């Protein structure tokens, strides 16, 4: 496993829509594992492939310590309700913003082994999944935020 460099806002790759993953193979699994290591090293709760310079539709998330989700070619199939979240992003260091997100989502995609999976997420888990999914569409939370402000590090 290796740590990858995290791409920061201003890089064109963060503004592009990602291509689907053709096959979950050893290379894709290695990238997913590297993404988890990179996310944890940066003290994040999610990381999408374009954030490490890879234009593929996949992300990892760990909304609670030890609770890791892998999504390859994810699709959000339903959204319910609304909640306000205060978000930051590893690709937008030193900033936070207030964003409206769904309260509940249903998301499906492939797992780390290439098997189909579907989850229903609510609250913070739904926020994390929507934030990472947006990266695959070239959208950053700062595009949706009502206000963005610098935080003390």
């Amino acid at each position: 496993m290796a740590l990858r460099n995290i791409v920061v806002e201003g890089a064109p790759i963060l503004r592009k829509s990602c291509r689907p993953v053709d096959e979950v193979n050893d290379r894709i699994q290695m990238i997913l594992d590297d993404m988890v290591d990179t996310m944890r090293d940066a003290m994040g709760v999610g990381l999408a492939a374009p954030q490490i310079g890879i234009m593929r539709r996949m992300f990892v998330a760990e909304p609670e310590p030890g609770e890791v989700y892998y999504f390859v070619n994810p699709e959000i199939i339903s959204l319910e309700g609304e909640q306000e979240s205060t978000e930051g992003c590893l690709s937008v260091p030193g900033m936070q913003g207030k964003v409206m997100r769904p309260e509940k989502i249903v998301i499906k995609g492939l797992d780390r082994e290439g098997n189909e999976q579907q989850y229903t997420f609510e609250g913070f888990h739904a926020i994390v999944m929507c934030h990472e999914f947006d990266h695959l569409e070239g959208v950053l939370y700062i595009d949706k935020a009502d206000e963005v402000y610098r935080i003390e590090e």
Side-chain angles (χ1 to χ4, degrees):
M1 320 247 186
L3 296 180
R4 305 283 184 121
N5 291 325
I6 296 175
V7 177
V8 295
E9 202 248 334
I13 194 169
L14 293 175
R15 297 306 188 162
K16 295 180 180 173
S17 185
C18 294
R19 296 185 306 275
V21 173
D22 295 326
E23 174 190 6
V24 177
N25 54 29
D26 291 346
R27 181 177 174 278
I28 293 298
Q29 290 175 340
M30 179 195 68
I31 292 168
L32 290 167
D33 292 342
D34 289 353
M35 288 170 65
V36 170
D37 290 343
T38 302
M39 170 190 68
R40 287 176 170 167
D41 184 70
M43 298 175 38
V45 295
L47 190 69
Q51 291 181 274
I52 59 165
I54 297 173
M55 292 300 303
R56 290 289 185 252
R57 297 188 71 78
M58 57 187 185
F59 70 79
V60 297
E62 189 175 24
E64 301 290 335
E67 186 181 352
V68 178
Y69 296 93
Y70 301 87
F71 278 98
V72 176
N73 298 333
E75 294 177 58
I76 295 177
I77 54 179
S78 76
L79 308 166
E80 272 183 49
E82 197 172 65
Q83 63 180 320
E84 184 179 79
S85 66
T86 300
E87 298 182 25
C89 181
L90 298 175
S91 291
V92 189
M95 304 297 285
Q96 281 187 335
K98 296 195 182 304
V99 182
M100 291 307 293
R101 297 282 188 191
E103 172 62 36
K104 181 178 178 180
I105 69 164
V106 178
I107 185 171
K108 69 176 185 175
L110 303 178
D111 67 11
R112 188 185 173 285
E113 309 301 323
N115 301 311
E116 289 190 24
Q117 61 181 346
Q118 180 173 306
Y119 289 99
T120 300
F121 292 112
E122 296 184 46
F124 181 66
H125 285 59
I127 291 166
V128 172
M129 302 306 162
C130 288
H131 177 112
E132 298 310 324
F133 184 86
D134 279 353
H135 278 295
L136 306 182
E137 300 296 329
V139 176
L140 298 176
Y141 84 91
I142 56 176
D143 301 332
K144 295 182 170 191
D146 289 334
E147 59 179 285
V148 177
Y149 49 90
R150 184 159 299 285
I151 55 172
E152 300 296 321
E153 293 192 34

